[in-house]
Amino acid sequence: MGLNNQWMQRDLAVLWHPCTQMKDHEQLPLIPIKRGEGVWLEDFEGKRYLDAVSSWWVNVFGHANPRINQRIKDQVDQLEHVILAGFSHQPVIELSERLVKMTPEGLTRCFYADNGSSCIEVSMKMSFHYWINRGRPDKKRFVTLSNSYHGETIAAMSVGDVPLFTETYKALLLDTIKVPSPDCYHRPEGMGWEEHSRNMFAAMEQTLAEHHDTVAAVIVEPLIQGAGGMRMYHPVYLKLLREACDRYGVHLIHDEIAVGFGRTGTMFACEQAGITPDFLCLSKALTGGYLPLAACVTTDEVYSAFYDDYPTLRAFLHSHSYTGNPLACAAALATLDIFEEDNVIENNQALAQRMASATAHLADHPNVAEVRQTGMVLAIEMVKDKASKTAYPWQERRGLAVFQHALERGALLRPLGSVVYFLPPYVITPEQIDFLAEVASEGIDIATRDKVSVAVPKDFHPGFRDPG
């Protein structure tokens, strides 16, 4: 028995993995990873895998980055953790100062959580509580876009709309208002992204006109709907939404957990619309992919609604044990140093262009409906019929064939259903991008062959999307 198999058997005896049907691993080998370096992950038998999905979209400057490593090592010898209620520490103060300075004007206060879903819950509770403190307890509903995803805790699921993640838990979820997404995959033939996104705003305008008296906030994934299949839209939608939220007196929450820190081509996606949300939710790449940390950055207007004498009970009494953890803040500070010192955003422009050119040929593939891109995120949508954009039944798990082929070739490509995507660390080279394009092209050829390896129950949850 090889080392990989030994570790796999020990794992399967005790672990329950996330977003996984564990029975799959009766046939699909689990890959135990021993070490990482740059874009590479290495298993216990020495095989390497290029991490094309940044280990669930968190890693921006490579595994075992020496600059981030050193900052954490220095911090661990000084202070590993301290309660953030009534106490503070240097890394969290410095990180907050830098986030306020680098985020859009008007965002002045940082509230920390442990992860992305928790950060969404913070923003929702904060908005709801704000309206109570301002004498508007009737404003308690949230508006969200169809096909959206904001996390897997209860409130975060409530503002999501990917059935695979929410359908089972419907009875637990909040009553939210869903508006059709501006997703440009569905635009009419011949129509550009901007025109389609403008047209799709009509539904949001009508919803706010009718319901603003009971709505606390609108929450969106700006520019890219990640878990919904890397669906994308034009920044004009965000500009129109900011204007409408101002007119109707509704908060705007930007979930930039996945798309912040350079993924869309600018440091934050909201910059491309020239707007400031009322709440900016950040996580994932915030610590370079090292440690869990999230920041909900908000305005003085929101902060002031909670600032009062204690007996008024206006305080935001929300907490996490590891809020503002010094080690995570140290990793975040090192990550921000790299952004500042290495001209990352500018350098990414050339990498994004290489991703586009390396995959351009796939636009002509008979089973590819679209190759779309926003900054350092590129997605390739496989379909059963190109002309009508008829999707493959999710039960066929076409993306799984791409995933398995990529592992054989030495790449970690984990599709979202039938959507193959590149979301790599920013330290990837042009040659490594070419390699990924080659592997993806081969995998798509294999995955779109007529024969499928699983039986497809046609009447079972036809609207679900397999996460791959």
Side-chain angles (χ1 to χ4, degrees), residues 268-425:
F268 303 108
C270 53
E271 294 175 32
Q272 296 185 38
I275 65 165
T276 301
D278 299 292
F279 302 90
L280 180 63
C281 295
L282 305 171
S283 190
K284 289 192 183 288
L286 174 59
T287 65
Y290 269 67
L291 290 163
L293 182 70
C296 178
V297 193
T298 189
T299 65
D300 273 343
E301 165 62 25
V302 172
Y303 178 79
S304 66
F306 295 83
Y307 196 89
D308 207 340
D309 295 325
Y310 185 84
T312 66
L313 296 181
R314 287 174 174 263
F316 189 58
L317 300 179
H318 179 101
S319 61
H320 296 266
S321 300
Y322 284 94
T323 292
N325 174 259
L327 300 177
C329 289
L333 287 166
T335 300
L336 297 187
D337 284 346
I338 297 173
F339 272 109
E340 287 185 8
E341 296 166 9
D342 290 9
N343 296 315
V344 174
I345 302 299
E346 295 81 358
N347 294 338
N348 280 357
Q349 292 174 3
L351 293 174
Q353 290 172 4
R354 187 62 164 254
M355 286 167 62
S357 62
T359 56
H361 64 282
L362 287 168
D364 297 323
H365 192 286
N367 293 103
V368 170
E370 182 176 65
V371 180
R372 54 183 174 269
Q373 183 176 10
T374 298
M376 286 294 289
V377 182
L378 184 140
I380 306 151
E381 183 126 359
M382 298 184 293
V383 290
K384 185 175 183 178
D385 182 76
K386 188 181 184 83
S388 63
K389 292 185 176 178
T390 301
Y392 284 111
W394 67 268
Q395 297 94 334
E396 293 181 4
R397 305 186 75 178
R398 301 277 175 160
L400 185 60
V402 179
F403 174 69
Q404 291 175 298
H405 173 74
L407 289 179
E408 292 173 5
R409 287 291 314 274
L412 169 52
L413 278 172
R414 194 174 192 269
L416 292 156
S418 294
V419 177
V420 180
Y421 69 92
F422 299 171
L423 201 152

Side-chain angles (χ1 to χ4, degrees), residues 15 34 49 75 94 111 130 139 156 166 181 185 241 249 260 270 278 297 301 327 332 340 406 410 445:
L15 264 70
K34 182 177 182 179
Y49 306 87
Q75 182 60 44
E94 291 181 348
F111 190 99
Y130 169 93
K139 291 174 74 67
T166 61
S181 169
Y185 179 72
L241 180 56
C270 53
D278 299 292
V297 193
E301 165 62 25
L327 300 177
E340 287 185 8
D445 283 341

Side-chain angles (χ1 to χ4, degrees), residues 15-336:
L15 264 70
W16 189 344
H17 288 263
C19 205
T20 300
Q21 172 47 262
M22 293 300 295
K23 196 173 191 296
D24 281 352
H25 289 307
E26 291 182 7
Q27 289 83 34
L28 183 67
L30 188 79
I31 310 296
I33 296 299
K34 182 177 182 179
R35 62 186 298 271
E37 183 178 6
V39 299
W40 297 102
L41 296 166
E42 185 178 309
D43 68 21
F44 281 79
E45 295 175 2
K47 183 171 182 178
R48 298 201 306 170
Y49 306 87
L50 200 159
D51 188 355
V53 299
S54 295
S55 290
W56 252 341
W57 320 347
V58 299
N59 192 291
V60 282
F61 298 126
H63 298 280
N65 183 289
R67 291 149 80 179
I68 303 176
N69 288 359
Q70 190 60 52
R71 190 69 172 259
I72 295 171
K73 289 174 183 176
D74 292 343
Q75 182 60 44
V76 79
D77 287 333
Q78 272 199 312
L79 176 67
E80 83 300 337
H81 187 61
V82 64
I83 184 174
L84 206 62
F87 288 78
S88 192
H89 55 82
Q90 182 177 340
V92 78
I93 294 169
E94 291 181 348
L95 178 59
S96 302
E97 289 171 341
R98 292 178 70 172
L99 288 176
V100 166
K101 184 177 179 180
M102 70 190 300
T103 53
E105 185 176 358
L107 295 173
T108 58
R109 298 283 173 173
C110 299
F111 190 99
Y112 291 94
D114 294 351
N115 58 73
S117 295
S118 298
C119 191
I120 296 298
E121 304 255 347
V122 165
S123 69
M124 292 175 67
K125 286 179 66 176
M126 219 176 251
S127 176
F128 170 79
H129 198 164
Y130 169 93
W131 293 113
I132 291 176
N133 286 354
R134 291 296 191 218
R136 295 293 307 276
D138 50 319
K139 291 174 74 67
K140 56 187 177 183
R141 300 183 75 191
F142 293 86
V143 176
T144 186
L145 298 176
S146 63
N147 195 45
S148 56
Y149 175 90
H150 297 285
E152 295 178 36
T153 48
I154 298 300
M157 273 197 301
S158 298
V159 289
D161 187 47
V162 178
L164 180 65
F165 301 110
T166 61
E167 188 76 14
T168 301
Y169 309 104
K170 268 185 175 180
L172 301 178
L173 305 184
L174 305 175
D175 177 27
T176 58
I177 303 171
K178 291 182 172 57
V179 173
S181 169
D183 170 9
C184 289
Y185 179 72
H186 294 298
R187 69 193 184 279
E189 187 175 353
M191 183 177 289
W193 282 30
E194 180 172 357
E195 183 181 2
H196 179 70
S197 296
R198 281 185 180 276
N199 290 345
M200 291 303 295
F201 189 74
M204 179 65 78
E205 179 75 37
Q206 182 179 348
T207 296
L208 292 179
E210 293 178 2
H211 299 287
H212 65 273
D213 284 340
T214 60
V215 169
V218 178
I219 181 169
V220 296
E221 297 164 275
L223 303 186
I224 303 173
Q225 293 185 298
M230 296 298 166
R231 294 289 178 79
M232 303 174 185
Y233 60 95
H234 195 275
V236 70
Y237 190 91
L238 302 176
K239 181 174 172 55
L240 294 171
L241 180 56
R242 174 71 276 178
E243 293 169 353
C245 286
D246 289 341
R247 281 199 312 276
Y248 291 111
V250 169
H251 286 147
L252 176 57
I253 302 171
H254 268 209
D255 174 357
E256 296 217 17
I257 290 161
V259 300
F261 299 101
R263 285 293 179 196
T264 66
T266 50
M267 184 63 79
F268 303 108
C270 53
E271 294 175 32
Q272 296 185 38
I275 65 165
T276 301
D278 299 292
F279 302 90
L280 180 63
C281 295
L282 305 171
S283 190
K284 289 192 183 288
L286 174 59
T287 65
Y290 269 67
L291 290 163
L293 182 70
C296 178
V297 193
T298 189
T299 65
D300 273 343
E301 165 62 25
V302 172
Y303 178 79
S304 66
F306 295 83
Y307 196 89
D308 207 340
D309 295 325
Y310 185 84
T312 66
L313 296 181
R314 287 174 174 263
F316 189 58
L317 300 179
H318 179 101
S319 61
H320 296 266
S321 300
Y322 284 94
T323 292
N325 174 259
L327 300 177
C329 289
L333 287 166
T335 300
L336 297 187

